[in-house]
């Protein structure tokens, strides 16, 4: 079969009894009615930056310094906007940028003190930043400025020995940092989201070699967050150490606590708006809704200041008013285009999956280095926007009755000729460099028998090739991690549970409430039991879980509930954490005097056994520490 993707598509259409639609004329008469896009011909797959590298388009592979095999286009784009190494650079008479390829910081020396922007991803970053500052000046640190809630975890060691420091940030920041930082719609999903975060920040990949780490590699560690003590209003002005600052909080990027810092006398902006790649509107870990309009608004505020120097996170420092203005205009246009063209596609009758290759960038945006497709994939964004706007239904009445994918696989695999034929089709697609289609075919068999040894290796091979061909710094490590896990070379957690620090940072009932989603309704179908939890380290606040025939009701005020408890546990949040993480039973904690129980401890444990457990042998129990750019 021909290796030409265009000829192959025509052949596929012909074999299906469908003729490819002829190319549309260059112009259409104003009187002639315009038809909707054809559902078969005229595919834009080969124009899609996201999909073309995995569907037969020519790809040149390259090697990073550590030997990692990466799409050369991604390596080239990365070099244009990312700092090459950790170093401190003087960018103005009183401003130094402390940059790395994954996180950035800066400090400004004023008349009688230092102002620090960003504190890093962990305690080690904060220590390094302090050392770098002390190489330049011994003036005290007067203020810390947070651009948003991600790079704020090195503050404690940075400020060691300092007094009366202003911690300036968005009014939402402290509340957002109370959670683990992954931005969950439903906090109950955070253990799964953290497992995904570890994957796409290269945590399970080797340091060197073809499968080596590449892209944003964040070292997760202990948190040193110091809360904001001066939340600012949009447009608020302050003078700190003789330096004038203005702060802007309208619009947002990857979190709802974005703060833009403006130094009007020097025309310098410090920002988390212009990233070294396109705005990442959707992230596969499953974050809170990222509204393209909010990113657009934040970009507009920054653009209209017309800065002459732009210090970013974690980009190279940009200088030159005209160049900065042009990049910010393009950035704003990208957000508008992604939203508006998605909505246009919806109005044309396209559903979420139809939109995957519908939105295409014009050349001037495609060629802007700050809009390179090297983090998220553009193909992810339109379906995400469409599902947020209208939900999953694509408008075809037939899909109101769609089957679960395993049921589809049960019927489709025999229709395609059985297991061996599907394997052969997948290998044929692999030969034709249609790796995305090969993975789709493998997926049908995977749903039926994930233990199939030959299938596991084929899937691993395809995922490794996909990782090497994609330009995405998220898709690459996730795909490689999955490949290594299939080959038994990496142990990847399905869930990353919270730490005691996180549990204790919330009100005493928060994680009791979260526990309700782990009930097994089949095991609990005949159970009616209520467990009351009295937290001795929180003024004996009493909450409860009422297991009621397969359903759990969380009771925020156990003393006012309509029925009496069957069991009462008096314990600390540390004791509850041990129960929550299945590190001990009620009976064991009672024997160790770590809780007091009213009722039969063994019977209470039998009720708690109706809930799914965190299983250490299946989950690498890595602390859900703070992380950088998400």
């Amino acid at each position: 079969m021909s290796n030409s993707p265009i000829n192959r598509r025509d052949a596929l259409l012909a074999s299906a009894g469908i003729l490819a639609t002829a190319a549309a004329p260059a112009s259409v008469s104003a009187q002639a009615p315009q038809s909707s896009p054809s559902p078969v011909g005229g595919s834009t797959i080969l124009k899609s930056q996201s999909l073309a590298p995995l569907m037969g388009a020519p790809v040149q592979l390259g090697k990073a310094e550590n030997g990692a095999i990466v799409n050369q286009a991604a390596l080239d784009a990365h070099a244009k906007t990312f700092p090459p190494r950790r170093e401190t650079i003087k960018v103005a008479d009183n401003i130094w940028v402390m940059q790395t390829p994954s996180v950035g910081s800066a400090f400004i020396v004023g008349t009688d003190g230092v102002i620090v922007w960003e504190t890093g991803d962990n305690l080690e970053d904060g220590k390094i930043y302090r050392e770098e500052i002390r190489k330049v000046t011994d003036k005290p640190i007067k203020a810390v400025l947070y651009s948003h809630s991600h790079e704020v975890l090195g503050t404690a060691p940075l400020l060691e020995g300092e007094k009366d420091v202003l911690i300036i940030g968005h009014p939402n920041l402290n509340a957002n940092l109370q959670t683990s930082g992954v931005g969950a719609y439903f906090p109950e999903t955070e253990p799964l989201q953290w497992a995904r975060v570890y994957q796409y920040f290269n945590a399970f990949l080797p340091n060197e070699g073809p499968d080596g780490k590449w892209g944003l590699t964040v070292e997760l560690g202990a948190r040193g967050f110091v809360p904001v003590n001066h939340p600012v209003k949009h447009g608020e002005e302050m003078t700190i150490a003789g330096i004038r600052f203005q702060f802007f909080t309208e619009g947002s990027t990857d979190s709802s606590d974005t703060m833009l810092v403006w130094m009007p006398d020097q025309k310098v902006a410090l920002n988390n708006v212009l990233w070294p790649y396109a705005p990442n509107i959707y992230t596969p870990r499953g974050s809170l809704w990222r509204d393209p309009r909010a990113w657009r608004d934040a970009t507009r505020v920054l653009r209209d200041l017309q800065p002459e120097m732009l210090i970013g996170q974690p980009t190279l420092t940009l200088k030159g008013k005209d160049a900065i203005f042009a990049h910010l205009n393009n950035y704003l246009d990208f957000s508008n285009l992604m939203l508006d063209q998605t909505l246009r596609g919806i109005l044309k009758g396209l559903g979420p999956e139809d939109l995957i290759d519908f939105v295409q960038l014009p050349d001037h945006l495609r060629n802007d280095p700050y809009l390179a497709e090297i983090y998220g994939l553009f193909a992810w964004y339109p379906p995400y926007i469409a599902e947020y706007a209208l939900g999953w239904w694509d408008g075809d009445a037939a899909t109101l009755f769609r089957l679960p994918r395993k049921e589809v696989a049960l019927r489709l695999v025999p229709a395609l000729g059985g297991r061996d034929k599907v394997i052969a089709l997948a290998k044929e697609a692999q030969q034709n460099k249609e790796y995305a289609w090969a993975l789709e075919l493998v997926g049908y068999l995977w749903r039926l028998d994930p233990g199939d040894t030959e299938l596991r290796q084929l899937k691993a091979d395809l995922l490794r090739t996909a990782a090497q061909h994609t330009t995405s710094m998220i898709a690459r490590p996730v795909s490689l991690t999955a490949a290594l896990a299939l080959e038994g070379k990496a142990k990847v957690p399905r869930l990353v549970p919270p730490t005691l620090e996180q549990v204790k940072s919330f009100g005493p009932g928060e994680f009791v409430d979260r526990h309700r989603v782990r009930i097994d309704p089949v095991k609990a179908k005949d159970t009616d039991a209520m467990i009351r939890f009295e937290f001795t380290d929180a003024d004996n606040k009493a909450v409860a879980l009422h297991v009621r025939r397969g359903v759990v009701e969380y009771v925020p005020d156990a003393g006012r509930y309509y029925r009496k408890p069957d069991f009462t546990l008096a314990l600390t949040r540390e004791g509850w954490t041990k129960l929550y993480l299945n590190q001990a039973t009620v009976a064991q904690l009672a024997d160790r005097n770590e809780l007091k129980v009213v009722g039969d401890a063994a019977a209470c444990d039998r009720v708690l056994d109706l809930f799914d457990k965190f299983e250490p042998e299946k989950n690498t129990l890595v602390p859900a520490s703070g992380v950088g750019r998400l």
Side-chain angles (χ1 to χ4, degrees):
M1 185 173 286
S2 168
N3 284 328
S4 167
I6 297 176
N7 291 341
R8 173 169 169 75
R9 173 168 290 279
D10 290 346
L12 287 168
L13 290 169
S15 67
I18 302 169
L19 294 178
T21 302
S27 62
V28 179
S29 166
Q31 288 75 32
Q34 296 189 32
S35 61
S36 300
S38 166
V40 287
S43 169
T44 53
I45 287 288
L46 295 178
K47 297 179 183 177
S48 167
Q49 291 171 271
S50 305
L51 299 172
L54 277 72
M55 286 300 290
V59 172
Q60 180 183 352
L61 300 181
K63 278 190 179 182
E65 290 183 2
N66 65 345
I69 296 178
V70 184
N71 186 317
Q72 186 62 46
L75 291 170
D76 294 342
H78 184 276
K80 293 177 182 178
T81 57
F82 274 83
R85 65 190 70 86
R86 181 185 283 274
E87 59 184 330
T88 299
I89 299 173
K90 187 176 184 179
V91 296
D93 288 344
N94 64 330
I95 304 174
W96 285 258
V97 172
M98 301 180 286
Q99 62 185 27
T100 77
S102 295
V103 62
S105 180
F107 64 94
I108 303 113
V109 179
T111 54
D112 61 345
V114 179
I115 301 97
V116 183
W117 178 75
E118 308 287 64
T119 65
D121 287 326
N122 49 51
L123 297 180
E124 186 62 25
D125 280 340
K127 292 176 184 177
I128 292 172
Y129 293 160
R130 182 174 180 82
E131 291 169 2
E132 291 299 298
I133 291 167
R134 291 298 167 235
K135 290 177 184 177
V136 173
T137 179
D138 59 0
K139 292 180 180 180
I141 296 175
K142 292 287 188 179
V144 169
L145 316 177
Y146 292 148
S147 76
H148 68 309
S149 56
H150 292 159
E151 279 77 28
V152 300
L153 303 176
T155 313
L158 174 75
L159 298 183
E160 187 175 348
E162 305 287 345
K163 295 180 180 179
D164 302 322
V165 179
L166 277 172
I167 310 294
I168 300 172
H170 192 286
N172 294 343
L173 194 142
N174 286 348
N176 287 349
L177 257 292
Q178 217 183 6
T179 69
S180 67
V182 293
Y185 282 112
F186 300 104
E188 293 86 352
T189 66
E190 286 182 2
L192 176 65
Q193 289 176 274
W194 267 110
R196 293 181 177 185
V197 167
Y198 276 76
Q199 290 180 53
Y200 76 65
F201 281 123
N202 290 273
F204 305 105
L205 299 186
N207 290 323
E208 297 180 343
D211 294 343
K213 303 175 191 288
W214 183 78
L216 290 180
T217 301
V218 177
E219 296 298 329
L220 305 171
R223 301 163 65 122
F225 172 62
V226 176
V228 170
N229 57 31
H230 186 92
V232 294
K233 298 177 181 178
H234 182 72
E236 182 174 338
E237 297 186 33
M238 295 179 66
T239 298
I240 308 169
I243 308 289
R244 280 208 306 145
F245 292 93
Q246 190 173 18
F247 306 100
F248 298 94
T249 57
E250 282 187 359
S252 62
T253 58
D254 58 333
S255 60
S256 62
D257 45 38
T258 301
M259 183 184 76
L260 168 64
V261 179
W262 175 236
M263 300 171 62
D265 296 330
Q266 294 178 256
K267 306 297 183 186
V268 174
L270 301 98
N271 81 105
N272 179 50
V273 176
L274 182 72
W275 287 8
Y277 35 70
N280 193 36
I281 296 169
Y282 169 73
T283 179
R285 77 171 186 276
S287 184
L288 294 169
W289 163 240
R290 294 182 178 181
D291 193 331
R293 296 169 299 183
W295 212 310
R296 172 202 66 198
D297 293 346
T299 307
R300 180 183 288 131
V301 171
L302 179 56
R303 179 201 63 183
D304 291 350
L305 291 170
Q306 299 194 38
E308 296 176 7
M309 181 186 296
L310 196 59
I311 297 170
Q313 181 62 270
T315 62
L316 294 166
T317 299
L318 276 173
K319 296 182 179 181
K321 177 180 175 181
D322 292 343
I324 292 170
F325 189 88
H327 287 308
L328 290 172
N329 249 347
N330 286 343
Y331 221 65
L332 187 152
D333 287 349
F334 176 90
S335 295
N336 277 337
L337 178 138
M338 196 56 65
L339 175 62
D340 294 349
Q341 290 304 306
T342 297
L343 300 179
R344 174 173 171 257
I346 290 171
L347 293 174
K348 284 179 173 289
L350 303 181
E353 293 187 0
D354 304 318
L355 288 163
I356 285 173
D357 64 335
F358 176 75
V359 181
Q360 300 295 323
L361 295 189
D363 288 344
H364 75 283
L365 296 184
R366 185 187 294 266
N367 296 329
D368 189 314
Y370 287 86
L371 290 173
E373 193 175 15
I374 56 173
Y375 193 49
L377 291 176
F378 299 166
W380 298 342
Y381 305 156
Y384 172 67
I385 295 169
E387 292 209 9
Y388 186 83
L390 296 175
W392 57 263
W393 186 46
D394 62 3
D396 180 352
T399 59
L400 291 171
F401 312 104
R402 61 184 184 180
L403 292 168
R405 297 195 73 178
K406 185 172 182 179
E407 292 296 321
V408 173
L410 279 168
R411 291 155 178 80
L412 189 58
V413 168
L416 289 171
R419 173 200 178 275
D420 293 345
K421 178 62 176 176
V422 175
I423 290 279
L425 288 170
K427 290 182 177 179
E428 181 184 6
Q430 183 182 31
Q431 286 296 111
N432 284 304
K433 300 183 179 180
E434 294 182 343
Y435 308 114
W437 174 235
L439 283 166
E440 178 76 17
L441 289 167
V442 163
Y444 296 126
L445 294 175
W446 181 258
R447 287 176 181 83
L448 302 182
D449 186 8
D452 184 322
T453 302
E454 181 185 7
L455 182 67
R456 291 175 70 86
Q457 188 58 58
L458 176 57
K459 185 175 181 179
D461 293 342
L462 288 167
L463 286 170
R464 180 170 284 107
T465 303
Q468 294 169 355
H469 282 64
T470 186
T471 57
S472 167
M473 284 189 282
I474 294 176
R476 181 184 183 274
V478 171
S479 299
L480 278 177
T481 298
L484 291 171
L486 286 166
E487 294 169 338
K489 298 175 182 176
K491 184 178 180 181
V492 182
R494 182 175 53 82
L495 304 172
V496 177
T499 62
L500 174 61
E501 175 196 37
Q502 185 184 346
V503 175
K504 290 178 71 174
S505 71
F506 283 86
E510 174 68 26
F511 282 86
V512 177
D513 185 12
R514 295 189 192 188
H515 196 57
R516 74 187 193 285
V517 304
R518 288 159 58 181
I519 193 69
D520 184 324
V522 175
K523 291 181 180 178
K525 63 185 177 67
D526 297 320
T527 299
D528 188 331
M530 177 177 168
I531 305 175
R532 174 184 171 116
F533 302 88
E534 295 179 356
F535 287 94
T536 57
D537 60 345
D539 298 324
N540 293 317
K541 178 176 174 60
V543 301
L545 293 175
H546 183 185
V547 180
R548 193 165 54 244
R549 299 183 64 185
V551 181
V552 178
E553 180 182 356
Y554 169 68
V555 182
D557 187 348
R560 300 180 64 182
Y561 196 54
Y562 71 85
R563 65 161 284 178
K564 300 296 183 183
D566 299 281
F567 313 97
T568 296
L569 307 180
L571 74 176
T572 63
R573 275 173 282 189
E574 183 170 358
W576 161 248
T577 302
K578 292 177 181 179
L579 291 175
Y580 183 73
L581 298 180
N582 313 116
Q583 295 172 351
T585 65
V586 170
Q588 290 169 341
L589 292 176
D591 287 344
R592 300 199 296 253
N593 294 318
E594 293 185 48
L595 64 74
K596 294 181 179 179
V597 56
V598 176
D600 185 332
C604 185
D605 278 325
R606 286 195 292 273
V607 174
L608 290 175
D609 282 342
L610 301 174
F611 293 78
D612 294 336
K613 300 184 185 306
F614 285 115
E615 300 176 85
E617 67 277 9
K618 294 183 180 179
N619 302 294
T620 305
L621 300 183
V622 189
S625 303
V627 69
R629 180 168 308 278
L630 298 176

